[in-house]
Amino acid sequence: MTDELRVVRAGFAPIKGTRHLAYDRVELDAQGAVGDRGLALVSVDPADPARGRVLRTVQNPSLVAVRAEVVGDGLDVALPDGQTASAEPVATGESITCDYWGREVELELVDGPHAELFSTWLDRPVRLARARRGDVVFAGSVSVVATASLRDLAERTGQEALEAARFRPNLVVETDEPYAEDTWLGREVRVGGATLRIGVPIPRCAVIDLHPETGERDVRVLKTLATHRPLNRAGEPAFGVFAEVVTPGVVG
């Protein structure tokens, strides 16, 4: 028998590193949440040591303050200062092989007004690029965080609550016992119209110390996690779990 989990939030960011948004309806296919990190920003400045790399949130925290949303075939981007760009990204026929956390990923460069907007915001020349479905996922296709674990961590950090978006999960599921999800390895669960197989814990980095709307460092969540959670070989504490899609479907 497959257990059912109640989803209280579903979301993703269409451009890697931008604000994580909640949606009323999220489609899950074999590669995860449709639209999740389908686009990424890459540096094109020959003088930039990071040229040829997908921009990382931890090194570009101001990306979190940018709201990006796919509307139909178009991409709407809004900066905190009021600047906006709305257009359909158009493939240029060019591709670029980029480093994505030590893994080579081939991206398709796209044109539109978004690159200029991001270049101004980041104060460095960047291009917008499209990834093939699944290319930006390096462990599990869906990220899952549980409500009881969020409540426990908020208490440990001295906060009334911690925003789920801080952890950028595809799904937030309701639980009663903190970190019960650690025991779900290999378990199949229903979420809306989809079925998932729960995988390994998610290692966390300093991105979770960023406010999920401004990108400013505010709460020392990572240090708190490291005091009571399992660490991987890199010293990263676990929070939440990855999952693979067994049966595609819609959540919401």
Side-chain angles (χ1 to χ4, degrees):
M1 179 178 178
T2 303
D3 295 323
E4 184 169 2
L5 296 176
R6 179 172 175 264
V7 177
V8 298
R9 184 186 189 275
F12 59 87
I15 301 176
K16 186 185 182 311
T18 57
R19 186 177 304 174
H20 198 273
L21 302 178
Y23 291 92
D24 293 333
R25 181 183 185 277
V26 171
E27 181 183 354
L28 301 179
D29 67 9
Q31 284 77 41
V34 175
D36 185 21
R37 294 167 295 175
L39 296 162
L41 293 160
V42 297
S43 172
V44 293
D45 184 355
D48 188 345
R51 187 178 187 271
R53 296 181 188 173
V54 172
L55 266 60
R56 301 177 179 181
T57 315
V58 70
Q59 296 166 342
N60 301 273
S62 64
L63 280 175
V64 176
V66 180
R67 182 184 178 93
E69 187 170 8
V70 175
V71 180
D73 293 329
L75 176 66
D76 293 350
V77 173
L79 301 184
D81 61 8
Q83 294 185 73
T84 61
S86 182
E88 180 180 355
V90 179
T92 65
E94 305 170 85
S95 64
I96 182 172
T97 300
C98 292
D99 175 84
Y100 182 86
W101 291 100
R103 183 169 57 88
E104 288 191 347
V105 176
E106 186 175 349
L107 303 176
E108 178 187 45
L109 293 174
V110 296
D111 272 343
H114 314 96
E116 183 178 353
L117 202 67
F118 276 108
S119 295
T120 300
W121 180 247
L122 296 169
D123 195 27
R124 65 198 292 190
V126 296
R127 292 285 301 274
L128 191 62
R130 181 181 287 118
R132 289 190 296 260
R133 286 288 291 137
D135 270 0
V136 297
V137 179
F138 59 92
S141 58
V142 176
S143 57
V144 181
V145 164
T147 56
S149 303
L150 283 169
R151 290 192 294 268
D152 177 80
L153 186 54
E155 183 178 346
R156 291 174 184 269
T157 54
Q159 306 295 308
E160 289 188 10
L162 285 174
E163 308 90 338
R166 185 180 293 270
F167 302 91
R168 309 178 73 80
N170 296 128
L171 303 176
V172 179
V173 298
E174 189 171 31
T175 54
D176 296 323
E177 180 186 349
Y179 313 110
E181 60 274 20
D182 290 352
T183 68
W184 296 349
L185 181 63
R187 174 178 165 187
E188 290 193 4
V189 297
R190 287 196 307 276
V191 286
T195 303
L196 305 178
R197 181 178 296 111
I198 303 298
V200 298
I202 302 173
R204 297 296 180 172
C205 67
V207 169
I208 63 175
D209 287 346
L210 305 179
H211 188 281
E213 292 187 1
T214 67
E216 297 177 356
R217 298 188 186 278
D218 55 358
V219 184
R220 301 189 71 179
V221 181
L222 186 65
K223 183 177 180 179
T224 302
L225 267 183
T227 64
H228 71 286
R229 296 291 294 149
L231 306 178
N232 64 10
R233 292 182 180 179
E236 299 165 321
F239 190 79
V241 290
F242 287 117
E244 299 290 346
V245 178
V246 176
T247 305
V250 173
V251 177

